[in-house]
Amino acid sequence: MWVKALDLALDKLRASGCDLSLVAGICGCAQQHGSVYWKNNASDLLSNLDPGRFLHADLATAFSLMESPVWMDSSTSLYCRKLEDSFGNSEKLAQTTGSRAYERFTASQIAKVYDTKPGIYQITERISLISSFLASIFIGGYASIDHSDGSGMNLLDIKNRKWCGEALEAVAPGLKEKLGEVVENLTVLGQIAPYFVQRYGFNPECKVVSFTGDNPASLAGMNLGAGEVAISLGTSDTVFLSLEEGTGGLLGHVLCNPVDSSLFMGLICFKNGSLTRERIKNLCVGESWDKFNQILETTDVGNYGYIGLYYDLTEITPHIQGEYRFDPDGNLISKFPAPEMDVRACIESQAIRLRLYSERLGYSSGHSSSILITGGASSNTAILQIISNVFNAPVYTLDLPDSACLGAGYMAAYALRQSDERIPFYDYINQISGRKRCLLCTPDETACKVYMQLVSKYRDCENKAFGIYYSRLTP
Ligand SMILES: Nc1ncnc2c1ncn2[C@@H]1O[C@H](COP(=O)(O)OP(=O)(O)O)[C@@H](O)[C@H]1O
Ligand SMILES: O=C(CO)[C@@H](O)[C@H](O)COP(=O)(O)O
């Protein structure tokens, strides 16, 4: 599917009349953590792509595992515990790799493949992240994993920026060879493969720069400063910010910063983001976001003290599933007095969750802070107004959508720059790009006060829901 998507994207570019011979360099990004398993001898297929055929036809037999594990998978708890045990405890793993063991991280995903499909692991010559898998196609050979996306694996020593031998050994034998080298972000990997020159008219001198994860690329696209936090309302709701210290803790993740090797990046991701909003919308008002927003705009801030927590899929943090509604006194109830109260309850609890957890990552909310918003739901200003009120901070976006894609473009431009070698990333980007930030929402003082009160109530409800979930699991 991913290879076909690339065929389609390239065909669309060609059909739109785009002169691909003008492209000087390519960088890209992809959802984090997912893994692609290349079968023995797949490198021969990669280096001999036939320009007369689609990529998906040539690469149909290149994979040992046809269904790549992706970030939404949470079936690997057993392997997470084993990995943490091999380090002694979760803190030690977090201090080295930036995160305690997470189900969607590549280490436990690979451990599961090795354990449940040893034959597949054996015939795999290379394991890529989705980002390095895409870069591999463009260079016609295996592309290295970069430091930032590599930090989402529980396998990289994020301070030394090298694979962590202890973690590799705990996951599966021979893993280092299957992963290949890890490289600095912004590394020029090589020239574009002849396939793209002959089939799509790319310049043979076009360079390919190491690809990265969608969130690191988004950080590169948004030029986050001190006191700023980025919120991505994509499929997941993800918060990230730039960090000076690289010590991972038990909450969230620390990754290598994609644009400055002396810095790090803090990130926390919630699985129940857009898909949950969509479900509540469909349930309460049908297809229309306009009707959903009308409810948000005409109902009372704070939902009269009613709080709803919605975890359609097992959440990453906290690890919990189900729906939990609470009355203003904090008692669990089965439904709200009016069904459409779920609309406001869902958006308010998601926004409060974003604030609470970004503060735990190191963000401090208030008037000197600001939020940069991106992702599909960032076009919805009714949702953004609630986020602005909950954070008591203005919400900005870039004057161009798709910050992850933009960031990857910037990374290619920076890696191939011919000017001052030592110029910092954002100084260079500011010179070459005329992008501006647009102010979308400013906080409403009265609403902020309501939410200040609600934050601690939310925390209590989340703790109660967590207790209920686990008491149901252990009768
Ligand atoms: N007007 C809108 N209001 C709220 N959510 C929206 C709106 N338009 C799109 N979305 C949400 O955006 C999501 C897709 O965001 P996107 O950033 O493209 O995701 P991803 O990067 O995970 O592919 C969809 O799941 C959809 O629910
Ligand atoms: O798991 C994470 C980050 O740790 C996700 O953010 C993925 O990177 C996928 O992103 P979206 O599809 O939600 O944009």
Side-chain angles (χ1 to χ4, degrees):
M1 184 183 77
W2 287 328
V3 180
K4 277 190 182 171
L6 188 55
D7 280 327
L8 274 173
L10 288 163
D11 256 16
K12 280 189 177 179
L13 276 174
R14 183 166 57 178
S16 71
C18 193
D19 183 356
L20 295 171
S21 71
L22 298 176
V23 178
I26 299 177
C27 179
C29 64
Q31 53 169 295
Q32 298 195 255
H33 319 296
S35 40
V36 176
Y37 296 73
W38 298 93
K39 198 154 77 184
N40 284 343
N41 303 322
S43 61
D44 294 342
L45 293 176
L46 265 178
S47 57
N48 288 299
L49 294 167
D50 176 354
R53 285 155 57 90
F54 279 115
L55 291 165
H56 75 257
D58 266 8
L59 294 176
T61 56
F63 306 103
S64 49
L65 189 67
M66 291 311 283
E67 291 185 1
S68 291
V70 297
W71 71 275
M72 294 184 92
D73 184 83
S74 52
S75 65
T76 58
S77 303
L78 169 70
Y79 305 97
C80 289
R81 298 297 76 79
K82 281 189 179 167
L83 180 60
E84 288 179 346
D85 289 349
S86 75
F87 269 73
N89 58 44
S90 45
E91 280 98 338
K92 282 193 185 147
L93 180 67
Q95 277 160 13
T96 308
T97 70
S99 304
R100 66 168 177 78
Y102 281 89
E103 281 76 1
R104 71 193 192 289
F105 274 45
T106 329
S108 53
Q109 294 291 340
I110 296 172
K112 183 178 170 188
V113 171
Y114 172 65
D115 187 35
T116 59
K117 301 183 179 85
I120 298 276
Y121 185 78
Q122 212 177 1
I123 58 159
T124 298
E125 69 181 12
R126 183 76 170 214
I127 301 174
S128 296
L129 289 180
I130 306 169
S131 56
S132 63
F133 144 76
L134 277 170
S136 302
I137 296 178
F138 278 107
I139 59 170
Y142 293 132
S144 297
I145 291 172
D146 70 294
H147 288 161
S148 294
D149 215 12
S151 330
M153 301 173 81
N154 277 139
L155 291 175
L156 189 77
D157 177 336
I158 59 162
K159 285 196 185 122
N160 293 318
R161 295 173 187 246
K162 291 196 169 95
W163 293 127
C164 166
E166 212 177 332
L168 294 176
E169 271 168 37
V171 168
L175 185 53
K176 194 168 185 208
E177 291 68 44
K178 292 190 201 286
L179 292 174
E181 291 299 315
V182 65
V183 289
E184 277 284 344
N185 288 76
L186 308 166
T187 297
V188 178
L189 298 173
Q191 321 271 97
I192 196 164
Y195 174 91
F196 298 94
V197 177
Q198 287 160 34
R199 187 173 172 97
Y200 292 105
F202 278 92
N203 186 325
E205 292 304 311
C206 174
K207 304 279 191 299
V208 179
V209 175
S210 51
F211 284 28
T212 193
D214 57 350
N215 297 301
S218 210
L219 184 130
M222 293 211 279
N223 194 352
L224 282 183
E228 295 182 331
V229 68
I231 298 179
S232 166
L233 304 175
T235 306
S236 63
D237 282 356
T238 302
V239 176
F240 50 88
L241 72 176
S242 193
L243 290 179
E244 289 186 0
E245 289 298 318
T247 306
L250 291 183
L251 187 98
H253 318 294
V254 177
L255 316 179
C256 295
N257 189 296
V259 298
D260 184 334
S261 55
S262 67
L263 296 178
F264 294 86
M265 163 180 180
L267 180 149
I268 189 155
C269 173
F270 302 99
K271 213 188 270 182
N272 295 289
S274 280
L275 300 183
T276 307
R277 288 187 282 277
E278 251 178 62
R279 180 183 67 77
I280 301 277
K281 166 180 72 62
N282 293 344
L283 189 77
C284 296
V285 297
E287 287 297 304
S288 158
W289 283 113
D290 287 343
K291 285 191 188 149
F292 183 88
N293 293 349
Q294 266 168 26
I295 295 185
L296 287 181
E297 280 153 4
T298 55
T299 49
D300 273 26
V301 172
N303 220 21
Y304 306 103
Y306 287 89
I307 289 180
L309 309 176
Y310 308 84
Y311 308 103
D312 294 7
L313 301 164
T314 307
E315 190 46 88
I316 300 164
T317 311
H319 202 264
I320 175 174
Q321 203 256 330
E323 268 187 10
Y324 305 86
R325 294 181 184 79
F326 296 91
D327 70 13
D329 296 321
N331 300 309
L332 186 73
I333 52 175
S334 59
K335 54 184 182 175
F336 289 135
E340 64 274 14
M341 286 173 80
D342 278 310
V343 169
R344 179 166 276 283
C346 171
I347 302 303
E348 287 187 338
S349 65
Q350 288 183 331
I352 294 173
R353 170 178 73 174
L354 288 169
R355 175 176 158 181
L356 262 180
Y357 284 94
S358 51
E359 284 176 352
R360 290 180 194 169
L361 266 188
Y363 170 74
S364 91
S365 49
H367 270 304
S368 57
S369 63
S370 50
I371 297 166
L372 263 118
I373 203 95
T374 184
S378 65
S379 60
N380 188 323
T381 42
I383 295 177
L384 302 190
Q385 186 60 57
I386 292 178
I387 293 179
S388 176
N389 294 341
V390 166
F391 277 73
N392 190 13
V395 174
Y396 294 87
T397 192
L398 295 178
D399 59 350
L400 194 78
D402 302 322
S403 57
C405 186
L406 179 69
Y410 285 167
M411 288 168 88
Y414 182 77
L416 301 174
R417 72 194 180 283
Q418 277 162 5
S419 60
D420 180 1
E421 282 301 305
R422 284 153 308 168
I423 185 169
F425 181 84
Y426 287 125
D427 290 351
Y428 180 73
I429 297 310
N430 288 337
Q431 278 175 15
I432 62 162
S433 123
R435 301 269 67 88
K436 291 190 188 64
R437 289 178 178 189
C438 309
L439 178 64
L440 297 177
C441 302
T442 47
D444 171 88
E445 219 174 293
T446 319
C448 291
K449 283 186 187 146
V450 175
Y451 288 128
M452 289 254 285
Q453 314 273 315
L454 222 55
V455 170
S456 63
K457 240 174 153 180
Y458 169 92
R459 204 183 288 123
D460 293 344
C461 290
E462 195 190 77
N463 286 338
K464 272 187 199 161
F466 194 67
I468 295 165
Y469 176 66
Y470 278 94
S471 66
R472 283 179 192 154
L473 282 186
T474 45

